[in-house]
Amino acid sequence: MERAEGKTGENLALRYLERRGLRLLERNWRYGHLEVDLIMEDDLYLHIIEVRSRNAPYLISPAETVDWKKQRQICKTTLFYYKYCGYGMDYPCRFDVIALYGDGTIRHVENAFEFVY
């Protein structure tokens, strides 16, 4: 995904999630070469969100492109975020994927994957 397309996708995802009551904490939070697209919260969870988009039709959905390697990177980044912000390991989080399609469809995959390390 090109940088401009990525920012547009993240803006769409952010507006979508804010309309559903989530509050933005961080955008493109980095630790070294690791990055999380959006970190948001509600009254129950810290939401770690990966945004993926596709303009052309493909055999797999954008959400399915978040493979085990990417999941592991997201989880590792989340651990650094917890430490950086002083969260206890008992503070619940959820890993979601926002899939954006070229026709404007947004698919929110809640609990897209479990913590892996």
Side-chain angles (χ1 to χ4, degrees):
M1 175 170 28
E2 292 186 25
R3 188 171 299 267
E5 180 183 325
K7 290 295 178 195
T8 300
E10 286 175 9
N11 289 336
L12 289 170
L14 179 59
R15 284 194 302 273
Y16 169 87
L17 293 165
E18 286 177 333
R19 284 192 306 268
R20 279 150 186 78
L22 273 67
R23 298 174 298 278
L24 179 66
L25 298 176
E26 304 284 347
R27 184 174 181 161
N28 302 117
W29 191 83
R30 295 178 96 42
Y31 184 86
H33 69 283
L34 302 171
E35 179 187 12
V36 171
D37 292 334
L38 299 171
I39 301 176
M40 302 183 80
E41 69 176 348
D42 60 16
D43 294 334
L44 300 174
Y45 297 101
L46 187 68
H47 296 259
I48 309 301
I49 300 160
E50 178 69 10
V51 180
R52 292 293 174 116
S53 64
R54 295 279 175 127
N55 284 329
Y58 289 90
L59 295 176
I60 63 172
S61 76
E64 292 172 312
T65 65
V66 183
D67 61 9
W68 69 269
K69 184 177 179 182
K70 184 62 178 177
Q71 291 174 19
R72 188 168 176 230
Q73 289 175 342
I74 292 168
C75 292
K76 190 174 184 179
T77 308
T78 300
L79 286 176
F80 286 117
Y81 184 76
Y82 265 57
K83 184 175 180 181
Y84 177 80
C85 293
Y87 287 103
M89 292 309 292
D90 59 339
Y91 193 87
C93 80
R94 192 172 88 183
F95 300 99
D96 294 357
V97 175
I98 294 289
L100 306 168
Y101 296 85
D103 65 359
T105 302
I106 297 175
R107 181 172 167 237
H108 183 185
V109 183
E110 298 177 0
N111 291 311
F113 57 91
E114 296 291 321
F115 180 84
V116 291
Y117 192 76

